[in-house]
């Protein structure tokens, strides 16, 4: 199946104690696990939505992983999902997985 994917990682993660996407789990940041899994599953395009001050951090965490790009999210989860959808270049009828 051909699909694209969006990872919404622009939040503060306060419900989880803060910055959950950057926490290390099994030797890798949580964001890396998610992005790697989607790329390995065949995501044709991967958009990672991050806070405006986290683009460099995302680039560091995802270094060496191909097929992704970062975009800046909004002030709410819904705005961030919309930003991710707007950044996609895939056909309108292609399935999109949103990993929140």
């Amino acid at each position: 199946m051909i699909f694209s994917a969006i990872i919404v990682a622009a939040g503060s993660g306060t419900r989880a104690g803060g910055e959950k996407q950057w926490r290390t789990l099994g030797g890798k940041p949580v964001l890396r696990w998610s992005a790697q899994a989607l790329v390995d599953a065949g995501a044709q395009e991967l958009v990672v939505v991050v806070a405006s001050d986290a683009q460099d951090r995302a680039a560091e965490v995802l270094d060496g992983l191909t097929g992704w790009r970062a975009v800046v999210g909004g002030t709410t989860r819904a705005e961030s999902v919309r930003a991710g959808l707007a950044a996609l270049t895939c056909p309108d009828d292609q399935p999109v997985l949103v990993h929140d």
Side-chain angles (χ1 to χ4, degrees):
M1 174 172 95
I2 296 174
F3 69 96
S4 292
I6 299 169
I7 297 175
V8 184
S12 61
T14 53
R15 289 180 299 164
E19 297 194 327
K20 65 183 174 197
Q21 65 272 41
W22 311 115
R23 284 191 192 160
T24 300
L25 176 68
K28 293 190 281 192
V30 171
L31 177 60
R32 178 65 184 226
W33 283 107
S34 299
Q36 186 72 58
L38 288 165
V39 168
D40 289 350
Q44 185 177 43
E45 180 177 21
L46 175 60
V47 174
V48 179
V49 185
V50 296
S52 61
D53 62 349
Q55 288 182 300
D56 290 341
R57 195 169 186 184
E60 182 181 317
V61 165
L62 301 177
D63 185 45
L65 187 64
T66 60
W68 71 277
R69 68 180 174 290
V71 298
V72 174
T75 56
T76 66
R77 183 175 287 115
E79 289 176 4
S80 292
V81 171
R82 278 193 288 277
L85 289 168
L88 292 172
T89 61
C90 63
D92 289 344
D93 62 348
Q94 182 169 303
V96 176
L97 301 177
V98 178
H99 178 9
D100 184 18

